[in-house]
Amino acid sequence: MTVMSDLVQLTRANGIAIVTINNPPVNALSPGVPEGISEAIEQINQDDSVKAAVLIGGGRTFVAGADIKEFGKITSGKSRGAGFLPLLLRIEDCRKPVVMAIHGAALGGGLELAMAGHYRVAVPSAQVGQPEVKLGIIPGAGGTQRLPRLAGVAKGVEMCAEGNPIKAQEALRLGIVDRLIEGDLLAGAVAFAREIAGKPAPKTRQRNDKLGTPEQNAPIFAAARETARKKQRGMKAPLAAIEAVEAATKLPFEEGCQAEQRLFTDCLFSDQSKALIHVFFGEREVAKIPDIPKETPIIPVNAAAIVGAGTMGGGIAMVFANAGIPVLLREVDQAALDRGLATIQKNYANSVKRGRFTQQFADERLKLIQPTLSYDGFASVDMVVEAVFESMALKKEVFRELDGVCKPGAILASNTSTLDIDEIASATSRPQAVIGTHFFSPANVMRLLEIVRGKATSKEVIATCMQLAKKLGKIAVLVGNCRGFVGNRMFHPYRREAQFLVEEGASVEAVDNALYDYGMAMGPLATGDLAGLDVGWRIRKEYRHLEKPGVRQPLAEDRLCELGRYGQKTGAGWYKYGENRRAVPDPEVAELVRQWAEEAGIPQRQIAAEESVERCIYALVNEGARLLEEGYALRAVDIDIIYLNGYGFPGYRGGPMWYADTVGLKKVYDRVCEFHRQHGELWEPSSLLKQLAEKGKTFADFNREQGVTA
Ligand code: 3HC
Ligand code: NAI
């Protein structure tokens, strides 16, 4: 064996050279890997006994792409980047055919590496893709030039612009992969290499037969641009990726690569890319809880139960079933149970209709959900999620019952969105087993799961829920036990400001459009209509006694509710809703709000879109800072991940706290102080925001200093 470096090894077996990349965990192309491959190719070229070569990844995967950690060094001027393009040309020009053997994933630079080989073989479970746009960049090592040459322009542009990987079977059909290998990949790849050894080896960059004509390609690129503007609204990278693939169809390979390089560099240095890279690492960071070691024992969750088959309970049952975990679903009466099951069946039927699930998958999952009106069977489940009405008395009663029937060690979780987990836990003899699992609606769709830590919740129970979330296809963020937890506590001032703006003279549509144009999936007022304005109204009525006298409260939503305008469900709220629940501006609301504002003595004025954005977004940031200083959120990035996955915050802005760092905390703080002067104590600046702004620091600095960021 020749050891090129710790990262790349070269061995020979009867005329076939085997190059193995060993850079765990995902064989990223970190410094040393390209150099090792290059040296191996050099030796293969020089060794006459070698007739063909196989390049394979050691461990669990082929190559997950460029080392994303290196990008920060490039943009901060600490590194010049690896420049993979020349290496890939050397592989393609190798005098012996090179077979790329793919298992796990060939993503980004990994697929670019694979396409520089003369052939590609893969196990059926492998995936290939150019996911760079999800990091705000585009393929930077010829991916936009080689992929359309293998897969055709339509698929090439789709994969580069949308970033979703495809499975090996489809890659075979498209011509990205030449053969699927059942059984041992290395043995299969070596056998394939022997078959093709000595035969002319195709170079991807010279294959122009799938590049189409201008007439064929024009509608493909027009459609891709249209899709990007709709599905990746506000993002620059997808449009850049389309431009780069278009260059592949118009320019010779080398010039196409130069065009790709220019676009890649523009994207890499953009704020969008920095934000999305922050999100990539953030999504992994939130799984790490400083005081809960990796070795914390995990409680196996092989069977679960849900109490309550309403909006949330039904969705949560589907989440468990979809992950293959059998689940009991308990209701109080047959009619409620039937309603809950009918909704679940309808949801599965819709998923089959939309092609998300096969009929067989849906049938199998449905069988895993066992409806019941009793607690029979609860003694053997490992975890229960309670999703009954939001009433403390009812929740305590349910937890008392669960304490009586569940086995020792079972996890008792509540899906409450506002109630105190410690008080719920006090109804049991085992508060260490009680935890909040706050799913978002619709539970079977939304990715976010806030895990609420009670004061007695054990580390085993927390570690288990964090890990289980991944199996359930969710992204879990651990939060402290305060009213509204992290997400909803911040959402409250955000929506409050949206209402204030309307009461001060902005139109409903102007406020919603400003936030939509900022990148939010929906405007704050339209979001209220979707969730139901009555939900907040009921809560406000219950907590009215806690409101400080003399402090301004929004008035319009309560009044709208008093008029029966609850939002989409009643056909009217901030907007009117006709067929297909399409929102239509309602002049009656505009008139009513003007009248209410006049009665309340609120002066009317012109409000610019920029103010709408600052009022709503800085309200989020100020409350987020408070959650950080109070310790209910562990890190600023936890808040970002919550907002990106649960509240439609645009990924390319990195989350509210990252965005505030990008704007500059001094600027944010100054605006918050101005709003404080204009609008009173609701805008009192968080002391953490003040401190950081005065010292010229960021939320990221704060987390580093606290030692809670990796
Ligand atoms: N660079 C650096 N680190 C990476 C990485 C990469 N490309 N891909 C994954 N990692 C790290 C993760 O941060 C994580 O680190 P941690 O354990 O310290 O938190 C570790 O590897 C394991 O990753 P996951 O937890 O994500 O492991 P999974 O098994 O769940 O997923 C994966 C594996 C599907 C490969 C997933 O990691 C992934 O999607 N990676 C990114 C792929 C990607 O975007 N590639 C394109 C890179 S840009 C590029 O190649 C530019 C080129 O065109 C020049
Ligand atoms: P829902 O009203 O749709 O469903 C509650 C169900 O619980 C009803 O079907 C009711 O019959 C059943 N139930 C009541 N007592 C029961 C008992 N003792 N045993 C078994 N079933 C019982 O309510 P929804 O919206 O599903 O909310 C459930 C919980 O989830 C609440 O705590 C709520 O705050 C929380 N939540 C709700 C969200 C939403 O958007 N709807 C979002 C996140 C959390």
PDB file of all heavy atoms in Angstrom, residues 494-495 498 501-502 506-529 574-575 577 583 612 616:
ATOM      1  N   TYR A 494     -43.658  40.434  17.927  1.00  0.00           N
ATOM      2  CA  TYR A 494     -43.583  40.580  16.463  1.00  0.00           C
ATOM      3  C   TYR A 494     -44.970  40.890  15.904  1.00  0.00           C
ATOM      4  O   TYR A 494     -45.176  41.852  15.159  1.00  0.00           O
ATOM      5  CB  TYR A 494     -43.018  39.280  15.887  1.00  0.00           C
ATOM      6  CG  TYR A 494     -43.121  39.087  14.391  1.00  0.00           C
ATOM      7  CD1 TYR A 494     -42.247  39.738  13.530  1.00  0.00           C
ATOM      8  CD2 TYR A 494     -44.073  38.222  13.838  1.00  0.00           C
ATOM      9  CE1 TYR A 494     -42.314  39.535  12.158  1.00  0.00           C
ATOM     10  CE2 TYR A 494     -44.151  38.008  12.478  1.00  0.00           C
ATOM     11  CZ  TYR A 494     -43.275  38.669  11.630  1.00  0.00           C
ATOM     12  OH  TYR A 494     -43.346  38.465  10.281  1.00  0.00           O
ATOM     13  N   ARG A 495     -45.948  40.102  16.324  1.00  0.00           N
ATOM     14  CA  ARG A 495     -47.314  40.313  15.818  1.00  0.00           C
ATOM     15  C   ARG A 495     -47.955  41.548  16.444  1.00  0.00           C
ATOM     16  O   ARG A 495     -48.775  42.216  15.834  1.00  0.00           O
ATOM     17  CB  ARG A 495     -48.174  39.068  16.034  1.00  0.00           C
ATOM     18  CG  ARG A 495     -47.730  37.906  15.141  1.00  0.00           C
ATOM     19  CD  ARG A 495     -48.840  36.919  14.864  1.00  0.00           C
ATOM     20  NE  ARG A 495     -49.917  37.496  14.095  1.00  0.00           N
ATOM     21  CZ  ARG A 495     -51.062  37.900  14.590  1.00  0.00           C
ATOM     22  NH1 ARG A 495     -51.316  37.784  15.877  1.00  0.00           N
ATOM     23  NH2 ARG A 495     -51.996  38.412  13.803  1.00  0.00           N
ATOM     24  N   ALA A 498     -46.996  44.451  14.373  1.00  0.00           N
ATOM     25  CA  ALA A 498     -47.719  44.481  13.100  1.00  0.00           C
ATOM     26  C   ALA A 498     -49.091  45.132  13.307  1.00  0.00           C
ATOM     27  O   ALA A 498     -49.531  45.967  12.506  1.00  0.00           O
ATOM     28  CB  ALA A 498     -47.867  43.071  12.551  1.00  0.00           C
ATOM     29  N   LEU A 501     -48.796  48.892  13.917  1.00  0.00           N
ATOM     30  CA  LEU A 501     -48.530  49.627  12.676  1.00  0.00           C
ATOM     31  C   LEU A 501     -49.834  49.934  11.945  1.00  0.00           C
ATOM     32  O   LEU A 501     -50.042  51.043  11.437  1.00  0.00           O
ATOM     33  CB  LEU A 501     -47.584  48.818  11.772  1.00  0.00           C
ATOM     34  CG  LEU A 501     -46.118  48.792  12.238  1.00  0.00           C
ATOM     35  CD1 LEU A 501     -45.383  47.606  11.624  1.00  0.00           C
ATOM     36  CD2 LEU A 501     -45.414  50.104  11.879  1.00  0.00           C
ATOM     37  N   VAL A 502     -50.732  48.936  11.913  1.00  0.00           N
ATOM     38  CA  VAL A 502     -52.019  49.154  11.247  1.00  0.00           C
ATOM     39  C   VAL A 502     -52.825  50.196  12.029  1.00  0.00           C
ATOM     40  O   VAL A 502     -53.442  51.094  11.447  1.00  0.00           O
ATOM     41  CB  VAL A 502     -52.798  47.827  11.108  1.00  0.00           C
ATOM     42  CG1 VAL A 502     -54.181  48.066  10.525  1.00  0.00           C
ATOM     43  CG2 VAL A 502     -52.029  46.841  10.235  1.00  0.00           C
ATOM     44  N   ALA A 506     -50.858  52.363   8.855  1.00  0.00           N
ATOM     45  CA  ALA A 506     -50.455  51.528   7.709  1.00  0.00           C
ATOM     46  C   ALA A 506     -51.637  50.659   7.298  1.00  0.00           C
ATOM     47  O   ALA A 506     -52.486  50.324   8.127  1.00  0.00           O
ATOM     48  CB  ALA A 506     -49.277  50.656   8.088  1.00  0.00           C
ATOM     49  N   SER A 507     -51.677  50.260   6.022  1.00  0.00           N
ATOM     50  CA  SER A 507     -52.751  49.340   5.648  1.00  0.00           C
ATOM     51  C   SER A 507     -52.310  47.916   5.978  1.00  0.00           C
ATOM     52  O   SER A 507     -51.108  47.629   6.103  1.00  0.00           O
ATOM     53  CB  SER A 507     -53.069  49.462   4.154  1.00  0.00           C
ATOM     54  OG  SER A 507     -52.028  48.867   3.399  1.00  0.00           O
ATOM     55  N   VAL A 508     -53.303  47.031   6.139  1.00  0.00           N
ATOM     56  CA  VAL A 508     -53.028  45.625   6.462  1.00  0.00           C
ATOM     57  C   VAL A 508     -52.084  45.045   5.405  1.00  0.00           C
ATOM     58  O   VAL A 508     -51.078  44.400   5.727  1.00  0.00           O
ATOM     59  CB  VAL A 508     -54.353  44.830   6.505  1.00  0.00           C
ATOM     60  CG1 VAL A 508     -54.109  43.342   6.669  1.00  0.00           C
ATOM     61  CG2 VAL A 508     -55.250  45.357   7.603  1.00  0.00           C
ATOM     62  N   GLU A 509     -52.407  45.301   4.138  1.00  0.00           N
ATOM     63  CA  GLU A 509     -51.596  44.741   3.050  1.00  0.00           C
ATOM     64  C   GLU A 509     -50.193  45.331   3.060  1.00  0.00           C
ATOM     65  O   GLU A 509     -49.219  44.616   2.781  1.00  0.00           O
ATOM     66  CB  GLU A 509     -52.215  45.027   1.664  1.00  0.00           C
ATOM     67  CG  GLU A 509     -53.648  44.609   1.509  1.00  0.00           C
ATOM     68  CD  GLU A 509     -54.606  45.662   2.061  1.00  0.00           C
ATOM     69  OE1 GLU A 509     -54.913  46.656   1.394  1.00  0.00           O
ATOM     70  OE2 GLU A 509     -55.049  45.472   3.218  1.00  0.00           O
ATOM     71  N   ALA A 510     -50.066  46.619   3.400  1.00  0.00           N
ATOM     72  CA  ALA A 510     -48.732  47.250   3.365  1.00  0.00           C
ATOM     73  C   ALA A 510     -47.819  46.588   4.399  1.00  0.00           C
ATOM     74  O   ALA A 510     -46.647  46.319   4.116  1.00  0.00           O
ATOM     75  CB  ALA A 510     -48.856  48.745   3.626  1.00  0.00           C
ATOM     76  N   VAL A 511     -48.358  46.315   5.578  1.00  0.00           N
ATOM     77  CA  VAL A 511     -47.535  45.682   6.621  1.00  0.00           C
ATOM     78  C   VAL A 511     -47.169  44.263   6.194  1.00  0.00           C
ATOM     79  O   VAL A 511     -45.999  43.855   6.247  1.00  0.00           O
ATOM     80  CB  VAL A 511     -48.284  45.671   7.978  1.00  0.00           C
ATOM     81  CG1 VAL A 511     -47.504  44.872   9.018  1.00  0.00           C
ATOM     82  CG2 VAL A 511     -48.531  47.088   8.457  1.00  0.00           C
ATOM     83  N   ASP A 512     -48.157  43.507   5.745  1.00  0.00           N
ATOM     84  CA  ASP A 512     -47.878  42.125   5.322  1.00  0.00           C
ATOM     85  C   ASP A 512     -46.898  42.091   4.143  1.00  0.00           C
ATOM     86  O   ASP A 512     -45.973  41.284   4.124  1.00  0.00           O
ATOM     87  CB  ASP A 512     -49.180  41.407   4.938  1.00  0.00           C
ATOM     88  CG  ASP A 512     -49.832  40.757   6.165  1.00  0.00           C
ATOM     89  OD1 ASP A 512     -49.201  40.785   7.239  1.00  0.00           O
ATOM     90  OD2 ASP A 512     -50.949  40.223   6.036  1.00  0.00           O
ATOM     91  N   ASN A 513     -47.104  42.991   3.179  1.00  0.00           N
ATOM     92  CA  ASN A 513     -46.199  42.997   2.017  1.00  0.00           C
ATOM     93  C   ASN A 513     -44.773  43.338   2.407  1.00  0.00           C
ATOM     94  O   ASN A 513     -43.823  42.772   1.861  1.00  0.00           O
ATOM     95  CB  ASN A 513     -46.678  43.997   0.948  1.00  0.00           C
ATOM     96  CG  ASN A 513     -47.914  43.466   0.230  1.00  0.00           C
ATOM     97  OD1 ASN A 513     -48.203  42.268   0.286  1.00  0.00           O
ATOM     98  ND2 ASN A 513     -48.643  44.354  -0.430  1.00  0.00           N
ATOM     99  N   ALA A 514     -44.623  44.264   3.341  1.00  0.00           N
ATOM    100  CA  ALA A 514     -43.270  44.667   3.754  1.00  0.00           C
ATOM    101  C   ALA A 514     -42.517  43.456   4.325  1.00  0.00           C
ATOM    102  O   ALA A 514     -41.359  43.212   3.998  1.00  0.00           O
ATOM    103  CB  ALA A 514     -43.349  45.786   4.784  1.00  0.00           C
ATOM    104  N   LEU A 515     -43.215  42.688   5.165  1.00  0.00           N
ATOM    105  CA  LEU A 515     -42.554  41.530   5.784  1.00  0.00           C
ATOM    106  C   LEU A 515     -42.379  40.383   4.789  1.00  0.00           C
ATOM    107  O   LEU A 515     -41.388  39.658   4.825  1.00  0.00           O
ATOM    108  CB  LEU A 515     -43.347  41.062   7.022  1.00  0.00           C
ATOM    109  CG  LEU A 515     -43.021  41.749   8.347  1.00  0.00           C
ATOM    110  CD1 LEU A 515     -41.547  41.601   8.703  1.00  0.00           C
ATOM    111  CD2 LEU A 515     -43.363  43.217   8.375  1.00  0.00           C
ATOM    112  N   TYR A 516     -43.334  40.263   3.873  1.00  0.00           N
ATOM    113  CA  TYR A 516     -43.226  39.247   2.812  1.00  0.00           C
ATOM    114  C   TYR A 516     -42.029  39.570   1.915  1.00  0.00           C
ATOM    115  O   TYR A 516     -41.214  38.711   1.592  1.00  0.00           O
ATOM    116  CB  TYR A 516     -44.530  39.213   2.020  1.00  0.00           C
ATOM    117  CG  TYR A 516     -44.559  38.190   0.903  1.00  0.00           C
ATOM    118  CD1 TYR A 516     -44.799  36.847   1.186  1.00  0.00           C
ATOM    119  CD2 TYR A 516     -44.349  38.575  -0.422  1.00  0.00           C
ATOM    120  CE1 TYR A 516     -44.825  35.897   0.160  1.00  0.00           C
ATOM    121  CE2 TYR A 516     -44.372  37.639  -1.445  1.00  0.00           C
ATOM    122  CZ  TYR A 516     -44.614  36.309  -1.150  1.00  0.00           C
ATOM    123  OH  TYR A 516     -44.631  35.371  -2.160  1.00  0.00           O
ATOM    124  N   ASP A 517     -41.911  40.850   1.570  1.00  0.00           N
ATOM    125  CA  ASP A 517     -40.784  41.257   0.720  1.00  0.00           C
ATOM    126  C   ASP A 517     -39.449  41.114   1.454  1.00  0.00           C
ATOM    127  O   ASP A 517     -38.413  40.878   0.832  1.00  0.00           O
ATOM    128  CB  ASP A 517     -40.952  42.703   0.219  1.00  0.00           C
ATOM    129  CG  ASP A 517     -42.099  42.809  -0.785  1.00  0.00           C
ATOM    130  OD1 ASP A 517     -42.533  41.754  -1.298  1.00  0.00           O
ATOM    131  OD2 ASP A 517     -42.589  43.933  -1.037  1.00  0.00           O
ATOM    132  N   TYR A 518     -39.483  41.252   2.760  1.00  0.00           N
ATOM    133  CA  TYR A 518     -38.273  41.008   3.553  1.00  0.00           C
ATOM    134  C   TYR A 518     -37.867  39.540   3.423  1.00  0.00           C
ATOM    135  O   TYR A 518     -36.699  39.198   3.532  1.00  0.00           O
ATOM    136  CB  TYR A 518     -38.565  41.375   5.013  1.00  0.00           C
ATOM    137  CG  TYR A 518     -37.494  40.985   5.994  1.00  0.00           C
ATOM    138  CD1 TYR A 518     -36.364  41.787   6.186  1.00  0.00           C
ATOM    139  CD2 TYR A 518     -37.599  39.806   6.738  1.00  0.00           C
ATOM    140  CE1 TYR A 518     -35.377  41.418   7.092  1.00  0.00           C
ATOM    141  CE2 TYR A 518     -36.617  39.436   7.636  1.00  0.00           C
ATOM    142  CZ  TYR A 518     -35.510  40.253   7.814  1.00  0.00           C
ATOM    143  OH  TYR A 518     -34.520  39.879   8.707  1.00  0.00           O
ATOM    144  N   GLY A 519     -38.857  38.679   3.164  1.00  0.00           N
ATOM    145  CA  GLY A 519     -38.553  37.265   2.965  1.00  0.00           C
ATOM    146  C   GLY A 519     -39.392  36.311   3.804  1.00  0.00           C
ATOM    147  O   GLY A 519     -39.296  35.086   3.645  1.00  0.00           O
ATOM    148  N   MET A 520     -40.225  36.862   4.719  1.00  0.00           N
ATOM    149  CA  MET A 520     -41.048  35.965   5.544  1.00  0.00           C
ATOM    150  C   MET A 520     -42.013  35.201   4.630  1.00  0.00           C
ATOM    151  O   MET A 520     -42.494  35.737   3.627  1.00  0.00           O
ATOM    152  CB  MET A 520     -41.873  36.763   6.566  1.00  0.00           C
ATOM    153  CG  MET A 520     -41.057  37.574   7.551  1.00  0.00           C
ATOM    154  SD  MET A 520     -39.959  36.612   8.618  1.00  0.00           S
ATOM    155  CE  MET A 520     -41.106  35.753   9.680  1.00  0.00           C
ATOM    156  N   ALA A 521     -42.295  33.936   5.007  1.00  0.00           N
ATOM    157  CA  ALA A 521     -43.164  33.116   4.169  1.00  0.00           C
ATOM    158  C   ALA A 521     -44.544  33.748   4.018  1.00  0.00           C
ATOM    159  O   ALA A 521     -45.199  33.619   2.981  1.00  0.00           O
ATOM    160  CB  ALA A 521     -43.284  31.726   4.768  1.00  0.00           C
ATOM    161  N   MET A 522     -44.983  34.452   5.060  1.00  0.00           N
ATOM    162  CA  MET A 522     -46.305  35.102   5.060  1.00  0.00           C
ATOM    163  C   MET A 522     -46.207  36.365   5.891  1.00  0.00           C
ATOM    164  O   MET A 522     -45.383  36.425   6.813  1.00  0.00           O
ATOM    165  CB  MET A 522     -47.289  34.189   5.807  1.00  0.00           C
ATOM    166  CG  MET A 522     -48.246  33.440   4.999  1.00  0.00           C
ATOM    167  SD  MET A 522     -49.286  32.517   6.146  1.00  0.00           S
ATOM    168  CE  MET A 522     -50.818  32.777   5.355  1.00  0.00           C
ATOM    169  N   GLY A 523     -47.053  37.327   5.617  1.00  0.00           N
ATOM    170  CA  GLY A 523     -47.087  38.518   6.469  1.00  0.00           C
ATOM    171  C   GLY A 523     -47.643  38.163   7.841  1.00  0.00           C
ATOM    172  O   GLY A 523     -48.379  37.185   7.983  1.00  0.00           O
ATOM    173  N   PRO A 524     -47.328  38.957   8.869  1.00  0.00           N
ATOM    174  CA  PRO A 524     -47.759  38.631  10.240  1.00  0.00           C
ATOM    175  C   PRO A 524     -49.271  38.644  10.437  1.00  0.00           C
ATOM    176  O   PRO A 524     -49.793  37.876  11.245  1.00  0.00           O
ATOM    177  CB  PRO A 524     -47.099  39.713  11.098  1.00  0.00           C
ATOM    178  CG  PRO A 524     -46.639  40.777  10.164  1.00  0.00           C
ATOM    179  CD  PRO A 524     -46.473  40.155   8.818  1.00  0.00           C
ATOM    180  N   LEU A 525     -49.968  39.499   9.702  1.00  0.00           N
ATOM    181  CA  LEU A 525     -51.419  39.570   9.896  1.00  0.00           C
ATOM    182  C   LEU A 525     -52.099  38.408   9.198  1.00  0.00           C
ATOM    183  O   LEU A 525     -53.003  37.773   9.750  1.00  0.00           O
ATOM    184  CB  LEU A 525     -51.938  40.930   9.412  1.00  0.00           C
ATOM    185  CG  LEU A 525     -51.238  42.098  10.147  1.00  0.00           C
ATOM    186  CD1 LEU A 525     -51.477  43.422   9.460  1.00  0.00           C
ATOM    187  CD2 LEU A 525     -51.673  42.155  11.603  1.00  0.00           C
ATOM    188  N   ALA A 526     -51.631  38.085   7.993  1.00  0.00           N
ATOM    189  CA  ALA A 526     -52.163  36.914   7.291  1.00  0.00           C
ATOM    190  C   ALA A 526     -51.876  35.641   8.098  1.00  0.00           C
ATOM    191  O   ALA A 526     -52.695  34.722   8.131  1.00  0.00           O
ATOM    192  CB  ALA A 526     -51.546  36.808   5.899  1.00  0.00           C
ATOM    193  N   THR A 527     -50.733  35.594   8.779  1.00  0.00           N
ATOM    194  CA  THR A 527     -50.415  34.427   9.617  1.00  0.00           C
ATOM    195  C   THR A 527     -51.444  34.291  10.734  1.00  0.00           C
ATOM    196  O   THR A 527     -51.873  33.188  11.070  1.00  0.00           O
ATOM    197  CB  THR A 527     -49.006  34.575  10.247  1.00  0.00           C
ATOM    198  OG1 THR A 527     -48.083  34.860   9.212  1.00  0.00           O
ATOM    199  CG2 THR A 527     -48.578  33.321  10.964  1.00  0.00           C
ATOM    200  N   GLY A 528     -51.824  35.435  11.302  1.00  0.00           N
ATOM    201  CA  GLY A 528     -52.838  35.408  12.355  1.00  0.00           C
ATOM    202  C   GLY A 528     -54.139  34.823  11.839  1.00  0.00           C
ATOM    203  O   GLY A 528     -54.774  33.984  12.486  1.00  0.00           O
ATOM    204  N   ASP A 529     -54.538  35.244  10.643  1.00  0.00           N
ATOM    205  CA  ASP A 529     -55.772  34.717  10.036  1.00  0.00           C
ATOM    206  C   ASP A 529     -55.677  33.204   9.824  1.00  0.00           C
ATOM    207  O   ASP A 529     -56.654  32.479   9.989  1.00  0.00           O
ATOM    208  CB  ASP A 529     -56.011  35.387   8.672  1.00  0.00           C
ATOM    209  CG  ASP A 529     -56.744  36.723   8.809  1.00  0.00           C
ATOM    210  OD1 ASP A 529     -57.067  37.104   9.951  1.00  0.00           O
ATOM    211  OD2 ASP A 529     -56.989  37.368   7.768  1.00  0.00           O
ATOM    212  N   TRP A 574     -58.427  39.632   9.277  1.00  0.00           N
ATOM    213  CA  TRP A 574     -57.808  40.852   8.746  1.00  0.00           C
ATOM    214  C   TRP A 574     -58.173  41.012   7.268  1.00  0.00           C
ATOM    215  O   TRP A 574     -58.251  42.098   6.745  1.00  0.00           O
ATOM    216  CB  TRP A 574     -56.287  40.767   8.871  1.00  0.00           C
ATOM    217  CG  TRP A 574     -55.790  40.974  10.270  1.00  0.00           C
ATOM    218  CD1 TRP A 574     -55.330  40.027  11.137  1.00  0.00           C
ATOM    219  CD2 TRP A 574     -55.696  42.222  10.968  1.00  0.00           C
ATOM    220  NE1 TRP A 574     -54.956  40.604  12.316  1.00  0.00           N
ATOM    221  CE2 TRP A 574     -55.166  41.948  12.246  1.00  0.00           C
ATOM    222  CE3 TRP A 574     -56.010  43.550  10.645  1.00  0.00           C
ATOM    223  CZ2 TRP A 574     -54.935  42.951  13.197  1.00  0.00           C
ATOM    224  CZ3 TRP A 574     -55.782  44.540  11.584  1.00  0.00           C
ATOM    225  CH2 TRP A 574     -55.257  44.240  12.846  1.00  0.00           C
ATOM    226  N   TYR A 575     -58.346  39.848   6.612  1.00  0.00           N
ATOM    227  CA  TYR A 575     -58.732  39.835   5.194  1.00  0.00           C
ATOM    228  C   TYR A 575     -60.096  39.151   5.070  1.00  0.00           C
ATOM    229  O   TYR A 575     -60.583  38.532   6.014  1.00  0.00           O
ATOM    230  CB  TYR A 575     -57.714  39.036   4.366  1.00  0.00           C
ATOM    231  CG  TYR A 575     -56.326  39.624   4.333  1.00  0.00           C
ATOM    232  CD1 TYR A 575     -55.396  39.310   5.327  1.00  0.00           C
ATOM    233  CD2 TYR A 575     -55.941  40.474   3.311  1.00  0.00           C
ATOM    234  CE1 TYR A 575     -54.109  39.832   5.290  1.00  0.00           C
ATOM    235  CE2 TYR A 575     -54.642  41.001   3.263  1.00  0.00           C
ATOM    236  CZ  TYR A 575     -53.740  40.678   4.264  1.00  0.00           C
ATOM    237  OH  TYR A 575     -52.473  41.196   4.218  1.00  0.00           O
ATOM    238  N   TYR A 577     -62.009  36.040   2.939  1.00  0.00           N
ATOM    239  CA  TYR A 577     -61.579  34.821   2.235  1.00  0.00           C
ATOM    240  C   TYR A 577     -62.722  34.260   1.412  1.00  0.00           C
ATOM    241  O   TYR A 577     -63.807  34.028   1.936  1.00  0.00           O
ATOM    242  CB  TYR A 577     -61.074  33.775   3.246  1.00  0.00           C
ATOM    243  CG  TYR A 577     -59.840  34.262   3.948  1.00  0.00           C
ATOM    244  CD1 TYR A 577     -59.941  35.016   5.118  1.00  0.00           C
ATOM    245  CD2 TYR A 577     -58.579  34.046   3.423  1.00  0.00           C
ATOM    246  CE1 TYR A 577     -58.817  35.525   5.750  1.00  0.00           C
ATOM    247  CE2 TYR A 577     -57.442  34.551   4.036  1.00  0.00           C
ATOM    248  CZ  TYR A 577     -57.579  35.287   5.203  1.00  0.00           C
ATOM    249  OH  TYR A 577     -56.455  35.801   5.806  1.00  0.00           O
ATOM    250  N   ALA A 583     -56.792  35.243   0.198  1.00  0.00           N
ATOM    251  CA  ALA A 583     -56.992  36.470   0.978  1.00  0.00           C
ATOM    252  C   ALA A 583     -57.299  37.647   0.062  1.00  0.00           C
ATOM    253  O   ALA A 583     -56.611  37.860  -0.922  1.00  0.00           O
ATOM    254  CB  ALA A 583     -55.733  36.770   1.777  1.00  0.00           C
ATOM    255  N   SER A 612     -41.979  49.263   8.916  1.00  0.00           N
ATOM    256  CA  SER A 612     -42.738  48.048   9.242  1.00  0.00           C
ATOM    257  C   SER A 612     -41.778  46.892   9.511  1.00  0.00           C
ATOM    258  O   SER A 612     -41.944  46.141  10.473  1.00  0.00           O
ATOM    259  CB  SER A 612     -43.672  47.666   8.088  1.00  0.00           C
ATOM    260  OG  SER A 612     -44.713  48.610   7.988  1.00  0.00           O
ATOM    261  N   CYS A 616     -41.204  45.175  13.335  1.00  0.00           N
ATOM    262  CA  CYS A 616     -41.536  43.759  13.580  1.00  0.00           C
ATOM    263  C   CYS A 616     -40.284  42.930  13.854  1.00  0.00           C
ATOM    264  O   CYS A 616     -40.233  42.162  14.808  1.00  0.00           O
ATOM    265  CB  CYS A 616     -42.300  43.180  12.387  1.00  0.00           C
ATOM    266  SG  CYS A 616     -43.915  43.928  12.187  1.00  0.00           S
TER     267      CYS A 616
END
